[in-house]
Amino acid sequence: GARVVVVAPHPRPAGFTADEWVAEAYRPEHLDGADVAFAAAVPEVNAAVVRDARARRVWVCSACEPAGGDFTLPAVARCGPITVGVSTGGAAPMVARRIRDRVAADLDGGFADWVA
């Protein structure tokens, strides 16, 4: 139910879905009304987003400096009632994704049936 707004200094790529795309450079005002922000740009912009989000009491996730943000997200796999989350604390998301994919490859409907 969240409204997703992407701020990027280039036009929306074809096929990219978001509720709103703001094609301009980041400004602190872009955080007005936000509850959560993801800083996923170059390090200088991410640092500004984190600083501005904190000033506005907005939870923020920093892609390039996980410890600088308020939270990180795990790589998640689901199979029926089974949920597996893998995290590197934001230090290596690609590693978390690869581990998640390996675990998910071993989860099949039999596991879900057994759990149920």
Side-chain angles (χ1 to χ4, degrees):
R3 183 173 154 262
V4 177
V5 178
V6 176
V7 177
H10 51 78
R12 179 193 307 236
F16 189 92
T17 59
D19 296 319
E20 184 179 346
W21 185 282
V22 180
E24 60 187 39
Y26 167 75
R27 291 180 289 112
E29 296 80 27
H30 289 130
L31 293 170
D32 290 348
D35 294 313
V36 176
F38 289 85
V42 297
E44 301 78 35
V45 174
N46 288 356
V49 172
V50 169
R51 180 189 65 241
D52 298 338
R54 289 231 165 104
R56 287 170 167 73
R57 301 182 60 92
V58 172
W59 282 30
V60 63
C61 176
S62 176
C64 68
E65 190 178 338
D70 298 310
F71 64 96
T72 60
L73 299 174
V76 176
R78 292 181 176 84
C79 179
I82 300 170
T83 301
V84 176
V86 179
S87 177
T88 60
M94 293 294 290
V95 172
R97 185 180 330 166
R98 289 189 70 191
I99 294 169
R100 182 234 16 229
D101 291 348
R102 286 184 175 185
V103 171
D106 287 338
L107 294 176
D108 59 28
F111 279 108
D113 293 342
W114 183 64
V115 169

